[in-house]
Every structure is written in structure tokens, then in C-alpha cells.
């Protein structure tokens, strides 16, 4: 599974996941601020210009952002990478009110 698949799959009270409560962590639970910030930036643009719920793939999201925003291709490439980032698991940190996506390091 990847970040995109997890975001489409996870629901709270039958509503899509609030991306402000999503954190990317390594396998030891250590948050990765850079990846989390990149994902937050990407999803804030998607909230305005796209719809992750109706997208069938990461390419659908990137195509929408390409058509509807002036974002440069290098930014869109980074957004595509973060959405396609493989994850090893999902941890619900209820005491922090966070969903931790445990990413797999890229080799």
C-alpha cells in the first residue's frame, strides 16, 4: 500500500481523513517532519483544486493539479512521489489524535 491508498481507505465516522492529523513516521515511530510537511502541502492543494475521493490514481490527482494550478513540474513531481510513497503500516495514535503512516525507506 502507499500513502494515496491509505488516504482513500481510512475513514473516521464515515468521513475522509483530515490530512492535518496525518504524520509520516519511520518504523520506530519517529516522525519525519520533511515528509509530513510535503504531504500536508500536497493535500492542502488537493483540497482546493482536486478531490482525492473521486481520484482513481495518483496520476488523476497530479493531472488535476497540473491543469488547475500554476505549480511547476518539479513540485508536482514531489507531490507524486509523496503520494506514491510505500507504507508498511498504519498506527492510530489516539492520545495524540494522529494517524501515523509508517513509511518504508526508499532503497
Amino acid at each position: 500500500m502507499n500513502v494515496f491508498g491509505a488516504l482513500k481507505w481510512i475513514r473516521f465516522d464515515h468521513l475522509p481523513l483530515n490530512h492535518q492529523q496525518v504524520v509520516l513516521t519511520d518504523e520506530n515511530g519517529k516522525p519525519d517532519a520533511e515528509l509530513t510537511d510535503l504531504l500536508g502541502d500536497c493535500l492542502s492543494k488537493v483540497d482546493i483544486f482536486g478531490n482525492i475521493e473521486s481520484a482513481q490514481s495518483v496520476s488523476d490527482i497530479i493531472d488535476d493539479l497540473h491543469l488547475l494550478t500554476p505549480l511547476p513540474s518539479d513540485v508536482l513531481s514531489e507531490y507524486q512521489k509523496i503520494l506514491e510513497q510505500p507504507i508498511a503500516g498504519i498506527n492510530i495514535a489516539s492520545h495524540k489524535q494522529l494517524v501515523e503512516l509508517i513509511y518504508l525507506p526508499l532503497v
Side-chain angles (χ1 to χ4, degrees), residues 88-99:
I90 299 168
N91 181 53
I92 308 297
S94 58
H95 63 286
K96 299 179 196 175
Q97 296 184 336
L98 292 176
V99 172

Side-chain angles (χ1 to χ4, degrees), residues 56-99:
Q56 298 300 312
S57 68
V58 173
S59 294
D60 290 346
I61 294 293
I62 300 305
D63 289 346
D64 284 348
L65 292 176
H66 177 72
L67 289 172
L68 300 171
T69 71
L71 292 169
S73 58
D74 61 330
V75 171
L76 295 174
S77 176
E78 291 301 310
Y79 286 178
Q80 183 163 356
K81 287 178 191 175
I82 195 65
L83 292 172
E84 292 175 342
Q85 174 69 44
I87 60 171
I90 299 168
N91 181 53
I92 308 297
S94 58
H95 63 286
K96 299 179 196 175
Q97 296 184 336
L98 292 176
V99 172

Side-chain angles (χ1 to χ4, degrees), residues 3-104:
V3 169
F4 174 77
L7 294 172
K8 286 191 60 88
W9 186 70
I10 298 171
R11 299 281 182 273
F12 280 107
D13 296 325
H14 304 283
L15 297 173
L17 185 60
N18 177 347
H19 71 265
Q20 294 175 336
Q21 294 177 293
V22 180
V23 176
L24 285 140
T25 68
D26 66 14
E27 293 174 328
N28 297 316
K30 181 181 176 194
D32 187 308
E34 186 176 325
L35 291 179
T36 299
D37 288 347
L38 177 60
L39 180 60
D41 186 53
C42 173
L43 294 178
S44 68
K45 302 295 188 297
V46 171
D47 283 349
I48 297 168
F49 299 106
N51 184 344
I52 206 161
E53 296 305 308
S54 64
Q56 298 300 312
S57 68
V58 173
S59 294
D60 290 346
I61 294 293
I62 300 305
D63 289 346
D64 284 348
L65 292 176
H66 177 72
L67 289 172
L68 300 171
T69 71
L71 292 169
S73 58
D74 61 330
V75 171
L76 295 174
S77 176
E78 291 301 310
Y79 286 178
Q80 183 163 356
K81 287 178 191 175
I82 195 65
L83 292 172
E84 292 175 342
Q85 174 69 44
I87 60 171
I90 299 168
N91 181 53
I92 308 297
S94 58
H95 63 286
K96 299 179 196 175
Q97 296 184 336
L98 292 176
V99 172
E100 299 173 346
L101 302 179
I102 305 163
Y103 68 90
L104 295 170

